[in-house]
Amino acid sequence: MPSAKRFHRSIALAVVLAASLAACSSNRSKSQAPPLGEVFGAEDTYSRSFPVVPAVACEAARRALLGQGYLIGRMAPEAVEATKNFQPESDIHTQLAVRTTCVPKADGGSIVFINAVQERYALKAQSSSASVGVSMIGSVSLPIPIGGSNANLVRVGSNTVQNQEFYSRLFDRVDFYLPGTPTDTPPPPEPDTPPDPVIRGQE
């Protein structure tokens, strides 16, 4: 009987060990999976090539953003940062921060990279100033008492915009403001003044 008990105990230990190894393997495979499905695919959602030097491409990006109501926070020859504020609800505030980087290509053109981050803020009652992070200017404190209360804007979420249509339309606006596009092309000359009409009887 003792040998039978030892045999059953050995089987039980083997089962527990196999289950533990399976769990470890499962956890390892999960830990190695890319975060949120990030796989670095071949699609160019965040970049597009233009046949102009980086400084000209970034200037076109600045005009495209200004034309859509964005506030330019930083402008450099090869970089543009801008923000736009939204208020979808009375107690919700959303800020869209767009960062543009223009890098040269070997053929004399440039690649424009655009990344947009959406940050959401909500009114929350707090006893002290709320310190929230803004990607474009670092961490700032927003002690905003609304209506005499102690409510402050507190960041409640942040995510990178991944909507391909958003970036496609933005790149199309950048292309629209490049030199040689309708915005920079002079109007066509006025047509020549037609000759005075011939009045019958005066031929």
Side-chain angles (χ1 to χ4, degrees):
M1 291 296 293
S3 59
K5 290 182 178 179
R6 284 196 297 271
F7 176 74
H8 289 300
R9 189 179 300 129
S10 300
I11 293 178
L13 289 174
V15 171
V16 172
L17 180 60
S20 299
L21 291 175
C24 290
S25 176
S26 176
N27 292 335
R28 189 180 299 110
S29 62
K30 291 180 180 179
S31 64
Q32 293 175 350
L36 300 178
E38 187 67 75
V39 294
F40 287 94
E43 65 276 3
D44 294 329
T45 301
Y46 306 96
S47 66
R48 185 177 294 184
S49 297
F50 294 99
V52 294
V53 297
V56 175
C58 267
E59 173 60 23
R62 183 182 74 92
R63 297 185 185 189
L65 292 167
L66 285 173
Q68 299 298 313
Y70 283 81
L71 177 65
I72 305 300
R74 174 176 175 265
M75 179 69 194
E78 298 184 358
V80 182
E81 296 179 359
T83 58
K84 187 174 182 179
N85 297 319
F86 306 86
Q87 190 170 357
E89 299 177 24
S90 60
D91 58 345
I92 298 294
H93 173 82
T94 300
Q95 184 180 78
L96 194 60
V98 178
R99 180 179 288 105
T100 303
T101 303
C102 307
V103 300
K105 292 180 62 179
D107 60 3
S110 60
I111 304 177
V112 176
F113 297 91
I114 296 181
N115 173 269
V117 176
Q118 184 181 42
E119 296 187 331
R120 296 178 300 280
Y121 301 86
L123 286 176
K124 293 184 179 295
Q126 295 195 357
S127 59
S128 60
S129 298
S131 179
V132 297
V134 180
S135 64
M136 310 302 294
I137 57 177
S139 180
V140 299
S141 179
L142 297 179
I144 306 177
I146 306 298
S149 67
N150 63 342
N152 297 280
L153 280 175
V154 178
R155 187 171 63 176
V156 296
S158 178
N159 66 284
T160 298
V161 177
Q162 301 182 21
N163 187 295
Q164 293 186 357
E165 185 177 357
F166 168 84
Y167 291 102
S168 178
R169 290 182 176 181
L170 182 49
F171 280 122
D172 287 344
R173 296 306 297 170
V174 173
D175 185 65
F176 179 80
Y177 282 103
L178 289 177
T181 55
T183 55
D184 293 316
T185 302
E190 295 291 334
D192 295 335
T193 304
D196 294 333
V198 176
I199 302 176
R200 292 187 179 277
Q202 297 183 359
E203 291 90 351

